[in-house]
Amino acid sequence: MIRCNRCGLPETYETIEFDEKGICNICRQQEHKDIKISWSDRKTMLDNLVAEHRGKHDYDCLVPFSGGKDSTFTLYYLVKEYGLKPLVVQFNHGFMRPKLLANNERTFKRLGVDVISFTPNWKVVKRLMLEALIRKGDFCWHCHTGIFAYPMRLAIRYQVPLVFWGEPSSEYTAYYDYRDDAIEEVDETRFNRFVNLGITAEDMQGMIEKDSQLDPRDLIPYTYPPLRDLKQLRYRSVCLGSFIPWDVKRQSKLIMEELGWEGDEVEGMPPGLYPYEKIECAMQGVRDYIKFLKRGYSRVTQMTAIDIRANRMAKEEADRLIAEWEGRKPPSLALFLEYLNMTESDFNEIIRKLVVPPFDPDFEIIKWGPRTADFEHWYRERT
Ligand SMILES: [Zn+2]
């Protein structure tokens, strides 16, 4: 496969393009972020946005919250830097890990915030996971759509027009480019562009309507609210990272020190190297494994690419980590197959149809990765 001469991302990476020097567009927009964006102007824009909304409603803003490093930092920053009164909204995707739950409790209590947590029907979640896996090889449709749609529904219900997300997508893909100099609006266009995998809740309804177990209302939490309601609210839905330069390592350190936020091990990742990354979900290992089977790379490639770009890691070290850690079977796969009531060969057959050429995977992987310490506490269908 062709790879970026600088960061090593392969040609199967979403939205990637290479220039005449063989450097990818993600690397190029990162240069722009560092050199050309006036972050002091952006900070003034944020000051103005906050001033427009402060004290006008029951809450100054709404913060969708997963408990990962980005949403935790976002909440911390808005409360500490601006003294805002936020409404925190948490969509529980069904796989929150013990350490994450403990982090969340500490964060909420130490910051002093109101929280609404919503957990959708597990039987519906499983049905949606199966359908999205078969159609797209991405079982996280319920999570992507729920996380982005549900808080917007609550913004309308509670009449909170200002919504703050964390990391802008320009950090890791080129759907929105730092070079466009526009603020990325987290709206329905963005939702349909890449959040929902090209499947709206209405589409999903059509796909599974023959399923007698489901009530059409089951899909409401995954449905983006009507545009007229959002317009009436005069909403702004933006990423904090569009206004301040996003620095994951620095921000993770800060929330660890200030909030007692703890990192965790994640399947398929070298222990201790990126303890703050993607600790939110017990099925992250399966997600990364599917990416490996479809596209020939996994999270180690993605994370080391970021470090190479920031001159924090040599290419040789990245290659060594990738060779050691990528392409091992995650222990969570056994639970995943149990949830969806399928065999591993059923699973492989589904993924085989979705492989992104020129990658040609080997489905005979037998090497298992290690279990994480909390593996025994993850939900089991049969106990
Ligand atoms: Zn690159």
Side-chain angles (χ1 to χ4, degrees):
M1 290 200 289
I2 301 168
R3 286 175 185 274
C4 171
N5 282 336
R6 181 173 302 159
C7 71
L9 284 182
E11 62 185 300
T12 52
Y13 191 82
E14 278 170 292
T15 71
I16 206 164
E17 289 166 17
F18 301 99
D19 66 13
E20 65 287 350
K21 295 207 169 102
I23 308 290
C24 79
N25 49 343
I26 324 281
C27 280
R28 291 300 187 204
Q29 70 183 16
Q30 203 64 32
E31 290 170 1
H32 184 87
K33 173 194 171 194
D34 295 338
I35 300 162
K36 301 235 179 77
I37 289 182
S38 165
W39 288 107
S40 64
D41 288 357
R42 293 282 182 109
K43 180 69 166 66
T44 306
M45 287 168 76
L46 179 60
D47 292 344
N48 293 338
L49 187 62
V50 165
E52 268 170 50
H53 291 86
R54 189 195 292 279
K56 303 266 170 67
H57 305 273
D58 288 357
Y59 296 94
D60 296 325
C61 63
L62 185 150
V63 179
F65 188 88
S66 69
K69 63 189 187 319
D70 296 306
S71 57
T72 303
F73 172 76
T74 300
L75 185 61
Y76 171 83
Y77 185 88
L78 294 170
V79 171
K80 290 291 177 184
E81 173 82 7
Y82 288 104
L84 292 183
K85 178 181 173 61
L87 176 62
V88 179
V89 176
Q90 186 171 53
F91 182 90
N92 184 343
H93 43 61
F95 306 105
M96 290 182 164
R97 298 173 61 187
K99 216 170 218 178
L100 180 90
L101 293 169
N103 280 340
N104 290 353
E105 185 179 8
R106 267 194 308 274
T107 296
F108 300 151
K109 287 187 168 161
R110 291 193 186 175
L111 288 176
V113 289
D114 288 358
V115 182
I116 294 177
S117 182
F118 176 79
T119 306
N121 179 335
W122 169 242
K123 289 184 194 293
V124 175
V125 165
K126 287 198 294 179
R127 184 67 185 84
L128 297 174
M129 283 168 65
L130 178 65
E131 195 67 28
L133 177 73
I134 292 170
R135 300 217 175 229
K136 298 284 176 177
D138 185 339
F139 61 89
C140 305
W141 184 88
H142 79 283
C143 181
H144 301 316
T145 54
I147 277 179
F148 284 97
Y150 187 75
M152 301 312 290
R153 304 186 74 84
L154 285 201
I156 293 166
R157 190 172 306 166
Y158 284 85
Q159 293 290 297
V160 185
L162 180 59
V163 179
F164 275 112
W165 307 85
E167 182 181 41
S169 66
S170 325
E171 279 293 303
Y172 49 92
T173 59
Y175 287 109
Y176 289 84
D177 195 323
Y178 275 124
R179 290 171 290 184
D180 292 342
D181 277 334
I183 299 298
E184 175 179 350
E185 300 282 338
V186 185
D187 55 11
E188 192 171 12
T189 305
R190 181 184 184 278
F191 185 79
N192 289 332
R193 194 188 263 188
F194 66 98
V195 168
N196 70 3
L197 315 172
I199 303 175
T200 64
E202 208 172 40
D203 300 335
M204 186 58 93
Q205 183 67 41
M207 291 167 189
I208 59 182
E209 69 187 347
K210 290 196 185 74
D211 210 313
S212 58
Q213 306 277 315
L214 283 168
D215 183 311
R217 291 170 297 179
D218 288 339
L219 288 173
I220 290 173
Y222 312 96
T223 308
Y224 213 77
L227 190 57
R228 62 169 188 279
D229 293 350
L230 286 167
K231 279 194 167 153
Q232 208 165 41
L233 182 65
R234 301 169 66 107
Y235 81 115
R236 285 298 304 279
S237 170
V238 292
C239 301
L240 182 61
S242 295
F243 302 97
I244 61 171
W246 213 243
D247 182 340
V248 164
K249 285 215 161 155
R250 191 184 61 76
Q251 290 163 194
S252 304
K253 190 163 169 282
L254 186 75
I255 55 173
M256 284 174 184
E257 287 165 5
E258 298 293 320
L259 297 172
W261 189 89
E262 287 181 18
D264 208 344
E265 43 180 351
V266 174
E267 290 177 332
M269 294 297 293
L273 199 53
Y274 303 102
Y276 46 80
E277 188 65 29
K278 295 287 174 197
I279 65 165
E280 297 95 304
C281 177
M283 292 298 117
Q284 185 64 42
V286 178
R287 182 170 175 75
D288 290 340
Y289 181 61
I290 290 175
K291 184 178 276 177
F292 181 80
L293 292 174
K294 277 165 72 177
R295 297 176 184 271
Y297 73 92
S298 187
R299 188 158 296 280
V300 189
T301 295
Q302 268 174 288
M303 294 310 297
T304 53
I306 292 169
D307 278 343
I308 293 169
R309 251 178 241 134
N311 295 314
R312 287 190 294 241
M313 184 180 282
K315 187 73 173 45
E316 298 68 39
E317 173 66 0
D319 290 344
R320 191 186 64 74
L321 289 168
I322 290 164
E324 185 177 349
W325 287 94
E326 281 196 350
R328 291 165 78 173
K329 223 185 276 188
S332 58
L333 183 63
L335 302 184
F336 179 84
L337 297 174
E338 185 188 297
Y339 300 153
L340 297 193
N341 196 21
M342 62 169 62
T343 65
E344 192 177 340
S345 63
D346 295 340
F347 172 85
N348 285 343
E349 275 320 299
I350 291 168
I351 303 302
R352 198 186 298 276
K353 298 192 188 102
L354 300 161
V355 168
V356 178
F359 185 63
D360 182 18
D362 170 15
F363 282 95
E364 303 307 312
I365 294 172
I366 43 166
K367 201 170 158 195
W368 286 84
R371 293 178 174 191
T372 57
D374 59 348
F375 180 76
E376 294 306 324
H377 299 285
W378 296 352
Y379 175 71
R380 273 140 179 89
E381 208 75 314
R382 295 183 284 268
T383 46

